Amino acid sequence: MQAKPWGLPMASKTVDVLIVGGGMAGGMLAAALAETDLTCALVDRAPAPVMPEGEAEIRVSALTEASQHMLANVGVWKNIPAQRLAPYQR
């Protein structure tokens, strides 16, 4: 999914779905809706994220297997580099 900035104030646009917040949940919803006939906009005050390079930070986001399947279904999971993934182990 490619971001398409409008370059105009949001107040001048009409959309079917407005997603506020581009974190994991908002990004997932935007990816899931990208293949529908709905017009969607995702707004977030933070700059667009980029995939980090180099050594991974000691920071963890835990996802359930269901979340992994959802990300795979919208074509996102395959874009996560293998060196950034690790299964949870007790």
Side-chain angles (χ1 to χ4, degrees):
M1 181 175 69
Q2 184 76 22
K4 297 176 185 168
W6 282 331
L8 296 172
M10 190 67 202
S12 67
K13 296 292 180 182
T14 301
V15 295
D16 295 316
V17 179
L18 176 63
I19 303 165
V20 179
M24 283 192 278
M28 174 64 206
L29 180 57
L33 294 175
E35 301 300 320
T36 70
D37 291 332
L38 297 170
T39 56
C40 303
L42 185 148
V43 293
D44 195 310
R45 73 171 118 184
V50 295
M51 181 60 74
E53 295 181 12
E55 291 293 318
E57 294 180 24
I58 307 293
R59 181 177 164 181
V60 175
S61 291
L63 300 175
T64 65
E65 191 173 358
S67 295
Q68 178 186 354
H69 289 296
M70 287 191 298
L71 291 167
N73 286 338
V74 297
V76 174
W77 190 258
K78 66 183 179 197
N79 297 320
I80 302 174
Q83 71 267 24
R84 300 228 176 251
L85 301 173
Y88 172 77
Q89 298 176 3
R90 283 185 171 223

